[in-house]
Amino acid sequence: MALAKGAPESGAVANPATPQVIAFWRDERKRGMIAQVVVVAALLGFIWFLLRNFLIKQEMSGAPPLSLYFLQDVAGFQLSFSLIPLTLDSPIGRVIFAGALNTLIAAFFAGIIATFLGLLVGIARLSKNWLISHIAATYIEIIRNIPLLLQLVFWYGGVLTALPKPKDSISLLDVVFLNIKGLFLPKPILQEGVGLFFIAIAVAIGLAIFIARWARKRQMATGQQFPTIIVNTALIILLPAFVFVLLHDPIGWEFPEKGAFNFKGGLTVQPEMTALIVGIGISTAAYVAEIVRAGIISVSHGQSEASHALGLKSSWTLRLVVLPQALRVIIPPMISQYLNVVKNSTLAGFIGYADLFAVIGTSQNQTGRAVECVVILMVFYLTISLIISTIMNVYNKRAALIER
Amino acid sequence: MSTQAQANPSGADLAISDEVMIGLTGVNKWYGQFHVLKDIDLTVLKGERIVICGPSGSGKSTLIRCINRLEEHQRGRIVVDGIELTHDLKNIEKVRREVGMVFQHFNLFPHLTVLDNLTLAPIWVKKVPKKEAEEVAMHYLKRVKIPEQAGKFPGQLSGGQQQRVAIARSLCMSPKVMLFDEPTSALDPEMIKEVLDVMIELARSGMTMICVTHEMGFARTVANRVIFMDKGEIIEQNEPEEFFNNPKSDRTKLFLSQILHH
């Protein structure tokens, strides 16, 4: 090996056979190790600081030691809405559980609204029709530029309080009523034999999956196609309907009835809940729309042209060529949006909906168990978030790994 | 699937029947105010190999894209193998089944393997069993000389290999006509030859072909007619020898001098 011109004469270029000694601050392996040790030490130090701080303050304040037994104590407060029966004597744990269910149900419906409305607006945004694409664009821009809390207050205070009083309720066929106190729906009451009806639904779905698999296999083997979508839709609707008729109305309905001040009986959807679901759903839909649009645009026009040139019709082009590629772009940011729906539902307290965050706030106030309450809150949101991202990541892997 | 005539001696003596494959009469197309195609009349006979050249923006790509209705013409008639292209989706589907197309940027489906790229349309459009579709696909992959790449994804192939897969993909639908839209323009120079070799072999097997290309060597070897377009019009068309040695119009002369003297 020749020395480069201008290299120091002292033989700075070592014989490659003998291992070179590198100063540790220049050795990338040692550097990496040092960085890791420093980070872990700093983290442990910080945790120790917090813990020590907590223990000292705990002792100074004379508060009882940490425990979750207080969850068995009588709560003494009630929620304005709950999926499980609650009384003033219910234990705090049960009330908190009811709050968690409230969060989940609101997030679930908000997520559904966000998905479908977002899909629709995202596609509309790409429409060649000037009016449609501009309405979609305006919607997205307005929603994205207004704080979510303001939107919730708008839906609750601006829209839902403008509804008529109970005596002037808006009614649909005299079974569904809408007024300032909420949305009143008929409540299904399960009669004897309803189990068979649910079994019929399960059987129909199972059969549909079986038919889809069989049709796919047969197409691959013989080339014959089967109208899977039509047959399965018919199956899922007709089989349960048939059983329903056979059983002579296995589900009874309790209709809301006009009382002295408001409707009685039936199923009541509170205005607070409606405002939260509609508000978060509509707000998230704007972000979902942009994600969907980006996903579809990311598939180059050449892809659908090539597919058309091969004779594949538009619906097949979308299903076999465009969507599989668009989904890879759409799914990862959609995970964040679903997580946002759950986390944003903590704003419920501002419009008087008893979600977990609000319930925990009250419990903390009543019991003084601040640390326990915050831990419960953190564990709950962390668990839900991890579950959502796990499910979506599994789905993402199935959609994404196909390339390379 | 065609298993005939592996090697005809040369392109020049290939038989052209007098059966009309594609007929364009008075075809006009506008993009907004811009008049892309002006009164195009063109008849392509079965077995003809036509090369279309011309400066960029002359409408040559638009012309062949009209033939399988990737673009819609606004006036005039286009008839492919006896089927007229109208707003009837049924006819459009029929024509697209008979016309294969190869694009400048290959447009392979990146989420499918090479083999799945080739079998997708036969399985869905021609309703061929998967096994049979795969056999046909392997036959064409051998013909374009890359059967060993069947299990790979398009992103793992070189440009030249991708374009050959794209040609094989079209052939799997056993088209009666093949359209080539600048098939070698996006390729590195050393890959152009492998694609042109496949195209020459295809021409010799008797395929009706329309190629938009500036590969003048290719035009001389296989074309029986060269068409020069400029500003949406067919300026001149002739046999390759006549066209290159004895161009009639000044615009053709200018164009040829520009692309040949580089």
Side-chain angles (χ1 to χ4, degrees):
Chain A
M1 186 203 289
L3 280 176
K5 239 189 205 169
E9 296 124 284
S10 57
V13 178
N15 183 349
T18 58
Q20 244 175 318
V21 181
I22 312 169
F24 75 89
W25 62 87
R26 267 171 50 191
D27 186 332
E28 56 177 354
R29 290 161 304 175
K30 281 178 191 154
R31 260 209 209 187
M33 230 137 53
I34 292 166
Q36 286 185 41
V37 168
V38 168
V39 168
V40 170
L43 195 65
L44 288 177
F46 185 61
I47 292 172
W48 176 80
F49 165 76
L50 290 179
L51 211 61
R52 184 170 160 273
N53 204 358
F54 165 71
L55 290 172
I56 291 172
K57 292 281 158 63
Q58 174 92 350
E59 203 171 312
M60 273 166 57
S61 67
L66 291 186
S67 94
L68 287 174
Y69 285 116
F70 77 98
L71 292 176
Q72 293 172 349
D73 298 348
V74 169
F77 65 96
Q78 246 188 326
L79 306 185
S80 54
F81 172 80
S82 148
L83 290 170
I84 51 174
L86 288 182
T87 62
L88 276 174
D89 299 329
S90 299
I92 293 183
R94 191 176 167 84
V95 180
I96 290 178
F97 180 65
L101 286 182
N102 284 355
T103 290
L104 290 180
I105 193 162
F108 178 74
F109 285 114
I112 287 179
I113 292 181
T115 308
F116 287 100
L117 186 64
L119 199 66
L120 204 73
V121 176
I123 292 168
R125 179 83 178 75
L126 289 171
S127 166
K128 283 185 189 126
N129 183 315
W130 188 90
L131 190 65
I132 291 179
S133 77
H134 278 74
I135 288 176
T138 313
Y139 164 77
I140 292 168
E141 284 314 313
I142 289 179
I143 295 291
R144 287 203 307 174
N145 287 299
I146 296 177
L148 178 57
L149 183 55
L150 209 62
Q151 291 181 43
L152 291 180
V153 170
F154 166 78
W155 287 109
Y156 183 58
V159 176
L160 294 181
T161 52
L163 287 172
K165 296 207 171 92
K167 64 176 165 71
D168 310 315
S169 292
I170 304 167
S171 91
L172 183 73
L173 301 173
D174 270 339
V175 279
V176 177
F177 300 93
L178 183 67
N179 63 40
I180 194 166
K181 296 263 172 87
L183 179 66
F184 298 86
L185 303 164
K187 183 180 186 178
I189 295 181
L190 307 183
Q191 314 278 8
E192 218 173 317
V194 74
L196 275 177
F197 174 63
F198 288 123
I199 289 171
I201 294 178
V203 167
I205 292 173
L207 260 178
I209 295 171
F210 176 77
I211 288 176
R213 288 213 179 135
W214 166 81
R216 181 106 192 142
K217 232 184 221 165
R218 192 184 69 150
Q219 188 188 349
M220 289 307 149
T222 67
Q224 282 170 291
Q225 285 163 20
F226 186 78
T228 314
I229 296 173
I230 298 170
V231 170
N232 278 353
T233 315
L235 180 71
I236 287 175
I237 294 172
L238 291 182
L239 183 66
F242 179 67
V243 173
F244 194 88
V245 172
L246 271 191
L247 289 172
H248 296 293
D249 294 346
I251 295 178
W253 297 97
E254 181 191 308
F255 294 101
E257 276 173 32
K258 223 170 213 172
F261 299 105
N262 200 359
F263 287 89
K264 275 185 190 152
L267 203 67
T268 312
V269 184
Q270 279 193 319
E272 291 81 15
M273 188 183 186
T274 316
L276 187 72
I277 290 174
V278 168
I280 292 182
I282 285 183
S283 157
T284 313
Y287 298 92
V288 172
E290 285 295 87
I291 292 169
V292 169
R293 182 170 78 109
I296 293 176
I297 288 178
S298 77
V299 182
S300 92
H301 192 53
Q303 290 289 312
S304 40
E305 275 187 350
S307 174
H308 284 141
L310 284 168
L312 289 153
K313 56 185 184 186
S314 293
S315 56
W316 286 343
T317 297
L318 191 68
R319 181 169 129 210
L320 301 168
V321 175
V322 178
L323 271 186
Q325 296 183 57
L327 276 181
R328 293 183 315 197
V329 179
I330 291 175
I331 293 171
M334 279 297 277
I335 302 174
S336 324
Q337 289 309 320
Y338 288 131
L339 297 180
N340 277 349
V341 166
V342 174
K343 291 182 288 181
N344 285 341
S345 69
T346 48
L347 292 172
F350 286 96
I351 53 172
Y353 178 69
D355 80 319
L356 181 69
F357 194 74
V359 173
I360 287 281
T362 315
S363 315
Q364 190 181 319
N365 231 335
Q366 302 275 315
T367 61
R369 296 279 182 171
V371 178
E372 291 92 334
C373 282
V374 170
V375 168
I376 291 173
L377 209 55
M378 281 163 59
V379 169
F380 173 79
Y381 286 108
L382 190 65
T383 311
I384 298 301
S385 295
L386 287 178
I387 288 173
I388 292 176
S389 42
T390 307
I391 293 172
M392 293 295 283
N393 278 327
V394 168
Y395 183 53
N396 187 33
K397 270 214 181 93
R398 285 181 52 188
L401 241 176
I402 310 166
E403 194 185 12
R404 244 160 272 178
Chain B
M1 105 189 76
S2 74
T3 43
Q4 83 278 36
Q6 286 291 319
N8 262 335
S10 87
D13 53 346
L14 274 171
I16 297 166
S17 80
D18 46 8
E19 203 179 315
V20 174
M21 186 54 101
I22 300 170
L24 285 79
T25 34
V27 170
N28 277 277
K29 177 169 178 62
W30 289 263
Y31 286 128
Q33 294 292 310
F34 181 56
H35 201 165
V36 218
L37 296 178
K38 298 171 188 162
D39 286 321
I40 302 286
D41 290 307
L42 178 66
T43 305
V44 180
L45 300 176
K46 193 172 173 200
E48 270 204 287
R49 299 152 318 269
I50 293 176
V51 163
I52 304 178
C53 58
S56 68
S58 59
K60 49 195 192 314
S61 283
T62 311
L63 176 66
I64 66 165
R65 287 162 61 86
C66 281
I67 294 172
N68 68 351
R69 192 68 168 200
L70 288 182
E71 306 277 354
E72 187 188 331
H73 61 286
Q74 279 123 11
R75 206 192 293 160
R77 295 184 66 192
I78 300 179
V79 180
V80 180
D81 199 27
I83 307 159
E84 183 172 2
L85 279 170
T86 58
H87 288 288
D88 186 349
L89 287 170
K90 199 100 207 160
N91 282 0
I92 296 174
E93 268 172 40
K94 267 192 214 157
V95 166
R96 283 176 176 167
R97 266 193 221 194
E98 306 205 339
V99 179
M101 183 152 191
V102 175
F103 300 86
Q104 182 179 359
H105 296 289
F106 334 131
N107 296 354
L108 294 176
F109 306 132
H111 61 300
L112 300 176
T113 61
V114 165
L115 193 61
D116 289 339
N117 262 279
L118 266 66
T119 57
L120 185 74
I123 287 174
W124 287 90
V125 181
K126 286 169 78 184
K127 312 198 190 323
V128 174
K130 188 174 185 190
K131 200 152 163 275
E132 200 178 298
E134 283 177 349
E135 279 161 16
V136 174
M138 286 312 293
H139 166 81
Y140 283 110
L141 280 180
K142 277 181 201 135
R143 203 163 144 191
V144 300
K145 300 182 184 68
I146 35 174
E148 71 282 0
Q149 311 286 3
K152 289 194 182 167
F153 286 96
Q156 298 167 308
L157 305 185
S158 73
Q161 290 173 326
Q162 290 193 44
Q163 193 61 296
R164 285 187 281 156
V165 170
I167 294 172
R169 179 174 71 175
S170 288
L171 293 177
C172 280
M173 291 297 288
S174 5
K176 293 185 177 165
V177 185
M178 285 287 284
L179 306 175
F180 292 84
D181 189 0
E182 307 208 25
T184 55
S185 304
L187 295 176
D188 290 341
E190 76 266 28
M191 293 171 183
I192 292 177
K193 186 177 176 295
E194 62 186 58
V195 171
L196 288 182
D197 285 346
V198 168
M199 290 170 65
I200 291 169
E201 196 264 331
L202 190 62
R204 292 194 171 144
S205 74
M207 177 67 75
T208 311
M209 292 164 71
I210 304 180
C211 313
V212 171
T213 181
H214 291 148
E215 294 296 332
M216 291 306 144
F218 171 78
R220 277 181 200 269
T221 321
V222 301
N224 63 300
R225 199 163 18 139
V226 180
I227 293 176
F228 174 69
M229 283 183 74
D230 192 18
K231 297 188 177 132
E233 288 170 304
I234 294 180
I235 304 292
E236 189 169 344
Q237 47 179 317
N238 219 328
E239 289 174 6
E241 282 308 308
E242 260 314 279
F243 181 84
F244 290 114
N245 299 336
N246 215 348
K248 306 252 165 353
S249 89
D250 290 341
R251 270 195 273 179
T252 315
K253 282 177 196 159
L254 180 68
F255 176 74
L256 286 177
S257 75
Q258 278 167 342
I259 63 163
L260 294 178
H261 300 300
H262 262 290

